[in-house]
Amino acid sequence: MGIVVLTMKASVIEMFLAVPQINCDVKAGKIINPEFVVKCPAGCQDPKYHVYGTDIYASYSSVCGAAIHSGVLDNSGGKILVRKVAGQSGYKGSYSNGVQSLSLPRWRESFIVSEGKPQKGVTYPSALTYSSSKSPAAKTDEATKAYQKPPVPETTAQPVTLTQVTGATATGAAHASLPKPSPSAGSTSSSLRPQPVGLRSGELGEMDLWKPGSVLLDAGFVPKEELSTQALEPLSQGDPNCKIDLAFVIDGSSSIGKRRFRIQKQFLADVAQALDIGPAGPLMGIVQYGDNPSAQFNLRTHMNSRDLRTAIEKITQRGGLSNAGRAISFVTKNFFSKANGNRGSAPNVAVVIVDGWPTDKVEEASRFARESGINIFFITIEGATENEKQYVVEPNFSHKAVCRTNGFYSLNVQSWFSLHKTVQALVKRVCDTDRLACSKTCLNSADIGFVIDGSSSVGTGNFRTVLQFVANLSKEFEISDIDTRIGAVQYTYEQRLEFGFDDYNTKSDILNAIKRVGYWSGGTSTGAAINYALEQLFKKSKPNKRKLMILITDGRSYDDVRIPAMVAHHKGVITYAIGVAWAAQDELEVIATHPAKDHSFFVDEFDNLYKFVPKVIQNICTEFNSQPRN
């Protein structure tokens, strides 16, 4: 007779070891085994499966719910390793990975969850031992009696209304033949204490005997008032320390796959919860892109985190290519409008999520977005390897796209399964409004050219007063190479460029440059000065910068101002005309942009110029806020 000997590696044997399956509602305290590997089904993210604690969980928690909360599993289920540890003096609730865990003062037993990879040399049970005389798979139709507090002599405490922390028991034939645990394993006769409504005999096997005056939370009860608090509270008005208008631009291309798309949606839901959405805080909308972009909902559609998370769950994948550049253009032109909920007073932020790399170019679209005041963030997941870089349409695409290239606006994630770890980092960055450098306001988005009358009628003293007025106006703006820029032209019969938009990019340098301007003296050719400013200043203005000309004169021009003014208006230069002393009111109105009453001012004497600084700034900002973004 021949003998065949089979040898198998331990890793191969593990493939054949039975891993017990449990349902979503199974609590760790029901399982006696101190350490075990189990398989959770899909769908355990439901809030009806209660979880208590963070990282270390009370054993009254759903095992699978805790696994999702900890980030070991997602809602699709899978294998996990559970290890029992000592009870804690308190458990702090938190929101993580789509699960809101609750707090508990204390509990007699805890557990921690990790990935379901068996440790070398450790044998795990192929069947679990439960603390109840019936397995969770067994069903019961036994009548239950109402909870009654046993009489206690000389006790005057008022009765407390209680609500049981419920959790339906698991079903499945896998546990039908489980061995009945011995009393020493934790099974307790139901005759030893009263049973609360809805709990089967033996359901309280992990709890201490009830005693008068004991903390009822230890027995799995939570006061009804505590459980209902969240439902009774008014919806949050949002976090006022994070007042932003936020667009998520999500990847719905075919290459991402269904599972990764679900992970992306869970990430969005987690961000929505962490942000605390509300009218006084952040507002959030979503654009999905594939071949073409489409708005899933805008900023004003959902005004709280709860409704937003529900809406995110309903988003379906578009498929197609990964045209992120086209999506960014769509956001710039269409998303941040007043009709879509853009508030004007809140920074505009767009977070673009890309799986791998885009199938179109993003540089030009992103530049247009940045210059429109939109803070572009990029989250790149599973970027191109060295061998794959040959297929990337636009190398260093995220570097070219973001608002700044200092790393603040870019997040590179190695794996989709690590995406949840970036929630807090992203929230912290988008809420740091002091660092949102691309936000566009009336004070940081213009190229302003001062056209200053230096004619003989002004005089040296009054000219210095005019320069002080120019300096006072300039102080009100945020000046840098990407924010507001200042230039100046002085004119008489002739014209002189005092300094251009590119010459100085700090406020102190601008103010010093204004002080150094020397008085010229001569005639008054205002029309020629406007043409000169258009050619020497505004021809070099940046695209999508608002072009503002502020002309200051004390008399009627020797040449015609009508045609130069029309040319300026036609080129999109918003012109403010400020006349002093002998300036002609009719000429000021011709020079000024329509409506003239908002763009022309008359001052009776030079010493009163300073009084008009607030009015000029107010009109500039009022006009800015009333115009379309793009």
Side-chain angles (χ1 to χ4, degrees):
M1 177 184 295
I3 298 176
V4 179
V5 179
L6 296 177
T7 60
M8 301 177 71
K9 290 184 177 179
S11 59
V12 176
I13 294 173
E14 286 174 4
M15 295 171 58
F16 297 96
L17 292 178
V19 175
Q21 296 193 22
I22 61 173
N23 277 16
C24 299
D25 51 11
V26 173
K27 302 167 187 172
K30 293 292 297 170
I31 301 171
I32 294 175
N33 308 83
E35 192 169 359
F36 51 90
V37 175
V38 292
K39 185 175 182 181
C40 291
C44 295
Q45 202 174 45
D46 196 302
K48 68 183 180 182
Y49 306 124
H50 296 139
V51 178
Y52 298 89
T54 300
D55 297 328
I56 299 177
Y57 302 94
S59 61
Y60 199 68
S61 304
S62 159
V63 173
C64 299
I68 295 175
H69 183 272
S70 67
V72 173
L73 287 185
D74 58 25
N75 201 35
S76 61
K79 290 193 295 184
I80 57 172
L81 173 61
V82 180
R83 182 164 58 90
K84 298 286 188 70
V85 293
Q88 305 291 304
S89 59
Y91 299 85
K92 186 177 181 181
S94 65
Y95 182 86
S96 179
N97 302 308
V99 175
Q100 178 67 60
S101 69
L102 306 174
S103 298
L104 274 180
R106 67 173 183 265
W107 200 259
R108 64 189 290 269
E109 186 182 58
S110 310
F111 69 101
I112 57 177
V113 186
S114 57
E115 293 183 7
K117 296 179 180 178
Q119 297 180 14
K120 189 174 182 180
V122 179
T123 302
Y124 299 95
S126 58
L128 302 177
T129 304
Y130 288 86
S131 62
S132 172
S133 59
K134 298 177 181 178
S135 75
K139 295 185 179 180
T140 181
D141 58 357
E142 298 172 356
T144 55
K145 295 182 180 180
Y147 175 85
Q148 293 181 350
K149 186 175 179 179
V152 180
E154 301 179 4
T155 299
T156 59
Q158 295 297 316
V160 179
T161 302
L162 301 175
T163 298
Q164 174 203 345
V165 181
T166 59
T169 54
T171 59
H175 298 145
S177 61
L178 291 177
K180 183 176 179 179
S182 64
S184 63
S187 179
T188 306
S189 172
S190 61
S191 64
L192 295 178
R193 56 180 155 176
Q195 296 297 309
V197 174
L199 280 181
R200 294 196 305 266
S201 175
E203 181 90 359
L204 303 177
E206 66 171 290
M207 305 169 189
D208 294 330
L209 296 182
W210 182 88
K211 298 181 180 67
S214 65
V215 180
L216 290 169
L217 285 171
D218 279 353
F221 294 96
V222 179
K224 183 182 291 183
E225 299 88 353
E226 182 177 329
L227 279 180
S228 62
T229 298
Q230 186 173 359
L232 294 175
E233 287 179 350
L235 291 173
S236 171
Q237 292 298 299
D239 181 2
N241 296 316
C242 184
K243 189 177 180 181
I244 58 171
D245 290 339
L246 172 62
F248 262 98
V249 186
I250 66 171
D251 193 336
S253 61
S254 300
S255 64
I256 194 175
K258 292 183 178 179
R259 186 178 185 187
R260 289 178 173 84
F261 190 75
R262 286 197 301 269
I263 293 172
Q264 183 175 215
K265 290 202 301 180
Q266 183 57 62
F267 173 73
L268 296 176
D270 291 346
V271 171
Q273 183 68 28
L275 280 173
D276 187 14
I277 301 297
L283 296 180
M284 176 174 157
I286 293 179
V287 171
Q288 183 186 170
Y289 67 92
D291 290 333
N292 294 295
S294 175
Q296 303 293 149
F297 40 82
N298 62 36
L299 294 166
R300 67 187 343 173
T301 308
H302 304 291
M303 302 294 283
N304 60 74
S305 295
R306 183 190 64 193
D307 292 348
L308 186 57
R309 288 171 55 209
T310 301
I312 289 168
E313 180 60 32
K314 297 177 182 178
I315 295 175
T316 56
Q317 187 175 358
R318 292 180 62 85
L321 298 175
S322 183
N323 289 332
R326 189 174 295 177
I328 294 169
S329 293
F330 174 85
V331 168
T332 305
K333 295 175 183 177
N334 303 296
F335 189 85
F336 289 110
S337 66
K338 187 175 182 180
N340 286 335
N342 184 43
R343 290 171 288 185
S345 60
N348 294 158
V349 180
V351 179
V352 184
I353 301 178
V354 177
D355 174 43
W357 59 87
T359 52
D360 66 347
K361 294 185 176 182
V362 302
E363 182 176 12
E364 184 64 22
S366 298
R367 181 188 63 79
F368 185 57
R370 293 194 307 271
E371 292 178 353
S372 297
I374 300 172
N375 294 276
I376 297 287
F377 286 77
F378 251 69
I379 300 178
T380 306
I381 306 156
E382 298 181 4
T385 64
E386 285 300 321
N387 292 333
E388 292 172 331
K389 286 182 179 179
Q390 58 182 314
Y391 305 114
V392 177
V393 174
E394 187 177 31
N396 299 318
F397 62 89
S398 63
H399 185 83
K400 297 174 181 177
V402 295
C403 185
R404 291 286 188 278
T405 57
N406 57 7
F408 181 77
Y409 292 87
S410 302
L411 288 168
N412 297 311
V413 183
Q414 297 302 313
S415 167
W416 277 96
F417 303 104
S418 301
L419 182 59
H420 69 277
K421 297 178 181 178
T422 66
V423 171
Q424 293 303 324
L426 178 64
V427 168
K428 183 177 181 181
R429 294 185 192 190
V430 299
C431 290
D432 189 356
T433 53
D434 291 337
R435 295 188 65 182
L436 297 181
C438 287
S439 298
K440 185 178 180 182
T441 72
C442 61
L443 300 177
N444 69 4
S445 59
D447 282 340
I448 302 176
F450 288 97
V451 181
I452 305 167
D453 185 347
S455 61
S456 302
S457 58
V458 174
T460 304
N462 288 335
F463 187 76
R464 305 317 302 175
T465 303
V466 170
L467 292 183
Q468 186 59 55
F469 173 72
V470 171
N472 290 343
L473 282 174
S474 300
K475 286 177 185 177
E476 298 296 321
F477 293 91
E478 298 170 25
I479 296 172
S480 78
D481 59 337
I482 64 153
D483 296 314
T484 291
R485 302 186 304 167
I486 305 289
V489 166
Q490 184 182 176
Y491 73 95
T492 56
Y493 283 127
E494 300 178 277
Q495 307 84 34
R496 183 169 72 197
L497 179 66
E498 300 293 351
F499 52 89
F501 293 138
D502 293 321
D503 290 346
Y504 306 105
N505 56 22
T506 69
K507 188 173 293 188
S508 59
D509 286 346
I510 287 292
L511 296 178
N512 287 330
I514 293 170
K515 288 180 182 178
R516 291 195 297 268
V517 173
Y519 178 50
W520 204 358
S521 186
T524 309
S525 294
T526 305
I530 295 172
N531 283 332
Y532 182 86
L534 293 176
E535 186 66 23
Q536 298 299 319
L537 268 181
F538 292 102
K539 194 171 183 179
K540 299 175 183 179
S541 183
K542 288 185 177 181
N544 290 321
K545 285 282 188 182
R546 296 176 72 242
K547 294 177 272 292
L548 304 180
M549 181 189 295
I550 300 177
L551 185 144
I552 308 158
T553 182
D554 80 327
R556 183 176 291 276
S557 177
Y558 293 168
D559 62 355
D560 181 65
V561 299
R562 295 178 184 274
I563 293 178
M566 288 176 60
V567 172
H569 302 162
H570 181 73
K571 290 186 176 182
V573 178
I574 301 168
T575 307
Y576 289 81
I578 300 171
V580 189
W582 304 280
Q585 185 71 41
D586 60 334
E587 236 179 36
L588 297 177
E589 292 177 358
V590 169
I591 294 170
T593 295
H594 180 79
K597 64 182 181 64
D598 295 329
H599 297 86
S600 65
F601 305 87
F602 182 81
V603 186
D604 54 356
E605 54 186 67
F606 287 93
D607 287 343
N608 289 330
L609 268 173
Y610 75 95
K611 297 179 181 179
F612 283 79
V613 171
K615 182 62 176 175
V616 173
I617 296 296
Q618 179 185 342
N619 285 19
I620 289 172
C621 287
T622 299
E623 180 179 62
F624 173 88
N625 293 329
S626 66
Q627 296 297 314
R629 283 197 53 79
N630 302 307

